[in-house]
Amino acid sequence: MLAFPVVRAPGAEAARLDPDARAAALAALASTEFQVLVVGGGVVGTGVALDAVTRGLSVGLVEARDFGAGTSSRSSKLIHGGLRYLEQLNVGLVREALAERSLLLGVIAPHLVRPVPFLFPLTHHVWERAYVGTGVTAYDALGFSLGHTRGLPVHRQLSRRSALRLAPALKRSAITGAVAYWDAQVDDARYVLTLARTAAGYGAELASRVQVRGLLREGERVTGVRAVDLETGRELQIRAQQVVNATGVWTDEIQAMVGGRGMINLRVSKGVHLVVPKDRIHSTTGIIFRTPASVLFIIPWERYWIIGTTDTDWTGSKAEPAASQADIGYLLDQANRVLKTPLTSEDVIGVYAGLRPLLAGESETTSRLSREHVVAHPVPGLVLVAGGKYTTYRLMARDAVDAVVHALDWRAPASCTDRVPLAGAAGFQALWNARHRLALSSGLHVARIEHLLRRYGSLAPELLALVAADPGLGRPVTGADDYLRAEIVYAASHEGARHLDDVLTRRTHIAIETPDRGMSALDEIAGLMARPLGWDADAAAREAGHYRAGVAAELASQEAATDAEAGALRDAVPDIVPVLAAGDGDGTAGAGSVGAGSGAAIGRLGSLPGGRAG
Ligand SMILES: Cc1cc2nc3c(=O)[nH]c(=O)nc-3n(C[C@H](O)[C@H](O)[C@H](O)COP(=O)(O)OP(=O)(O)OC[C@H]3O[C@@H](n4cnc5c(N)ncnc54)[C@H](O)[C@@H]3O)c2cc1C
């Protein structure tokens, strides 16, 4: 029977994602026929869930690991139009992305997305200034033509002396001047989690650690999925009128379930980032400059810099792409081309690698593959959405749900997510303005209040209530003192964190922000998570032991010379709740073929593109 949209009272408040909520979501997933079931809990999948549920559709979502554990927590964390796409004259793509940047800054997530300054050093005197200046002027003009930019300043042309004043870390000999401009950045993992909580608040049923293993079929039509709750091994059949695949680089595995007909041809490209402490690079602004292959960003990130990225084919494990010594060496070499005081591997306190789901043409190198997206409908009941970039996730979601609505016998309104603030956005500005008062009333330093407001927006008072009830939670975590103990408890009690890695890597970024990768904070964090998750001492010790083994494997992989060696070393310690490989367990993956295609690829921005700028 069809479940009508109002399964629970919908509302703008964030849902509490705790073990009880997961159990309730699993029960609903097993017993309901949804109008839309989303596979994949990255930024695109959670975006699809929010788009669909706010159009009044009944929505379920399953994610094989933690929300955001795939590519969506491993990006450069920029919300940007992409200056380099402008260089390829891809004005439409840039304009669209800048419109999204404005919306995210101003309406949808002003607490999570914030402006970030960049310097583009010039190395040639006249022509380059004119060339880059024209590009950045167009970038600003496109941004301003959209009407609301939340006051992002316009770019400035700088002399060498002014540029060095902003970024004394730059080699004098490496620049002749610079262009300063503004973009935006986001905590990518927290953004996905906030999308998930917002969608759940409106009534979507979401469960992490549930892997889709096959598709339910009636003739050619897809009528749902066969899935496994990886925490318990329990099998589920989830029925849905339309299944939306939003599995990013795993799209091929879902395509294989409908007979391997490759309507979407993806290539997987690895991008590695380094994290170094702020005092290693003396600059008041981010820096972007050209490399032989693409561009390199040095991005301000709290008390750190993020340096990235690489762009190489990857054929190893998709769950844990590994950075090799070659990747790290490449990034240090490139950064040192412009830095006065060279960085060494000793300066690196964190490394992370992610995989880009690129729409593939025939013969492009990965850095030239398309960042555009595509929606396809290979068989009745199944919609595929892939490609794109973080910045434009909302448009991908809108287009996927448009395809769903087209296929459903249901008159749904148009997407309204351009007017739906995420959880924590409403009231954020007022609380920000009152931050000194909040500091006084809570007894926390105003810098702590600002930190909380930037991470939780107007939900920050929920954390202050935890501190009021137990003042010990107002203390910083020992060994990771950027974060309060209350944040760890809240991650487990409200934010769907189920394992140590969820907290150290995605709810916080302790794993890449502390030189020991969070080791000295581990036992305290496990202790804080134990109560909301019901862990006994053995469970907490098992979690800590697994996390330590994972870090050891990661550090070993970063010493390896090649991708193959690095991948093998990293794979030695799989996720604490391992995903099943094709053919494992119930043997459903890859099963369930259908006949030759009746579907059609609906190309966004044209048909499946190739050869666009990366
Ligand atoms: C190095 C790098 C830097 C980037 N920088 C930027 C940037 O600065 N700005 C920008 O706009 N974009 C950036 N991007 C692109 C952006 O990060 C991605 O386009 C985006 O995160 C992809 O999101 P997604 O939801 O499609 O995929 P994912 O986040 O990978 O989500 C897919 C999810 O599906 C789940 N899944 C897979 N199979 C199953 C199954 N069988 N059952 C259930 N769940 C399943 C996975 O576990 C995963 O969580 C970058 C990408 C990379 C790699």
Side-chain angles (χ1 to χ4, degrees):
M1 197 190 73
L2 181 69
F4 282 91
V6 186
V7 178
R8 284 183 274 115
E13 79 274 16
R16 181 175 173 148
L17 298 182
D18 63 5
D20 289 345
R22 182 174 182 275
L26 284 171
L29 287 164
S31 60
T32 308
E33 184 190 32
F34 292 92
Q35 287 171 305
V36 190
L37 178 75
V38 186
V39 186
V43 72
V44 176
T46 53
V48 169
L50 182 62
D51 189 292
V53 78
T54 53
R55 293 196 206 197
L57 300 173
S58 62
V59 180
L61 179 147
V62 289
E63 159 56 48
R65 297 191 295 159
D66 181 26
F67 298 114
T71 305
S72 296
S73 55
R74 300 155 184 264
S75 78
S76 304
K77 311 187 194 306
L78 294 175
I79 297 296
H80 60 163
L83 258 184
R84 60 204 162 120
Y85 310 130
L86 211 49
E87 197 174 9
Q88 308 293 329
L89 298 179
N90 204 337
V91 176
L93 188 63
V94 175
R95 189 171 199 282
E96 197 170 51
L98 289 177
E100 290 305 300
R101 188 185 72 179
S102 298
L103 269 178
L104 295 174
L105 278 164
V107 179
I108 295 176
H111 54 318
L112 299 176
V113 180
R114 71 191 67 133
V116 59
F118 277 107
L119 201 68
F120 191 117
L122 302 173
T123 49
H124 298 86
H125 276 285
V126 181
W127 70 265
E128 196 187 19
R129 185 177 288 282
Y131 184 72
V132 175
T134 307
V136 181
T137 303
Y139 200 66
D140 280 348
L142 283 171
F144 277 103
S145 71
L146 300 160
H148 42 94
T149 56
R150 209 184 85 174
L152 280 191
V154 291
H155 79 275
R156 284 184 304 145
Q157 299 268 0
L158 300 178
S159 65
R160 172 154 66 186
R161 183 193 293 195
S162 309
L164 290 174
R165 214 176 294 135
L166 285 179
L170 287 172
K171 268 183 203 160
R172 196 179 157 76
S173 61
I175 65 168
T176 58
V179 175
Y181 74 100
W182 287 78
D183 241 318
Q185 72 180 164
V186 67
D187 181 334
D188 50 5
R190 289 201 63 77
Y191 193 93
V192 174
L193 186 261
T194 310
L195 270 171
R197 290 189 70 189
T198 309
Y202 281 103
E205 301 289 354
L206 291 83
S208 61
R209 306 284 178 187
V210 175
Q211 182 182 2
V212 168
R213 301 281 291 149
L215 299 173
L216 300 175
R217 317 292 288 276
E218 280 172 21
E220 192 181 47
R221 169 173 286 279
V222 171
T223 56
V225 302
R226 278 184 283 170
V228 180
D229 172 3
L230 296 174
E231 298 278 12
T232 59
R234 184 183 151 215
E235 294 185 10
L236 299 167
Q237 297 207 343
I238 310 172
R239 286 170 302 121
Q241 296 182 354
Q242 294 287 316
V243 173
V244 177
N245 171 67
T247 57
V249 293
W250 288 267
T251 293
D252 281 350
E253 289 167 26
I254 303 293
Q255 290 195 129
M257 294 176 194
V258 287
R261 283 180 298 105
M263 298 208 71
I264 294 184
N265 186 14
L266 281 184
R267 269 188 47 201
V268 175
S269 142
K270 182 176 73 166
V272 174
H273 290 87
L274 311 180
V275 181
V276 302
K278 202 127 228 184
D279 63 4
R280 300 299 193 279
I281 300 174
H282 186 191
S283 176
T284 57
T285 169
I287 301 167
I288 170 177
F289 57 95
R290 282 179 216 282
T291 62
S294 182
V295 292
L296 195 86
F297 286 103
I298 300 179
I299 305 164
W301 176 254
E302 306 292 343
R303 297 196 294 129
Y304 315 90
W305 297 100
I306 292 177
I307 301 175
T309 176
T310 60
D311 197 343
T312 53
D313 273 332
W314 173 258
T315 53
S317 147
K318 290 176 186 161
E320 293 299 343
S324 68
Q325 199 178 53
D327 295 321
I328 296 169
Y330 168 85
L331 290 170
L332 291 174
D333 286 350
Q334 292 303 322
N336 289 339
R337 281 176 44 218
V338 301
L339 295 177
K340 199 160 59 184
T341 308
L343 296 172
T344 72
S345 53
E346 304 289 300
D347 297 316
V348 176
I349 59 166
V351 179
Y352 64 93
L355 300 176
R356 299 177 185 84
L358 299 177
L359 296 179
E362 287 302 309
S363 61
E364 295 82 5
T365 61
T366 58
S367 57
R368 293 200 165 274
L369 294 174
S370 179
R371 299 299 199 257
E372 294 175 1
H373 68 265
V374 69
V375 174
H377 215 149
V379 292
L382 178 66
V383 170
L384 307 172
V385 54
K389 57 181 196 163
Y390 204 104
T391 306
T392 51
Y393 83 88
R394 200 188 62 81
L395 304 177
M396 297 177 71
R398 178 199 66 190
D399 293 347
V401 180
D402 280 349
V404 163
V405 168
H406 186 72
L408 281 176
D409 188 17
W410 183 270
R411 285 167 67 87
S415 172
C416 62
T417 50
D418 57 345
R419 280 156 285 140
V420 176
L422 298 194
F428 163 68
Q429 189 61 53
L431 277 183
W432 181 261
N433 297 343
R435 62 194 183 282
H436 292 280
R437 208 151 37 80
L438 281 175
L440 273 179
S441 62
S442 65
L444 295 175
H445 192 280
V446 70
R448 289 280 178 203
I449 299 290
E450 290 178 356
H451 161 94
L452 294 178
L453 288 170
R454 286 201 181 112
R455 288 166 50 76
Y456 307 91
S458 53
L459 300 177
E462 295 188 358
L463 287 105
L464 297 179
L466 289 179
V467 173
D470 177 358
L473 296 180
R475 291 205 312 271
V477 176
T478 312
D481 57 9
D482 283 349
Y483 299 94
L484 293 180
R485 289 157 54 87
E487 294 182 75
I488 309 301
V489 172
Y490 190 78
S493 65
H494 286 70
E495 297 188 327
R498 301 185 54 78
H499 299 282
L500 273 178
D501 190 47
D502 303 350
V503 169
L504 280 119
T505 304
R506 286 173 293 278
R507 304 305 180 277
T508 72
H509 300 287
I510 294 169
I512 55 166
E513 292 175 349
T514 55
D516 70 352
R517 271 64 170 174
M519 292 297 196
S520 55
L522 211 51
D523 291 334
E524 183 172 336
I525 292 174
L528 290 164
M529 292 174 69
R531 182 176 302 162
L533 295 180
W535 291 348
D536 58 18
D538 283 351
R542 201 166 46 246
E543 287 276 338
H546 193 276
Y547 182 86
R548 284 193 185 93
V551 168
E554 201 162 293
L555 291 175
S557 70
Q558 291 162 15
E559 300 289 321
T562 64
D563 272 4
E565 290 167 45
L569 286 163
R570 184 63 195 86
D571 287 349
V573 183
D575 204 335
I576 189 157
V577 186
V579 291
L580 301 169
D584 279 359
D586 62 7
T588 52
S593 64
V594 284
S598 59
I602 307 160
R604 265 280 299 150
L605 311 167
S607 57
L608 277 174
R612 302 293 191 132

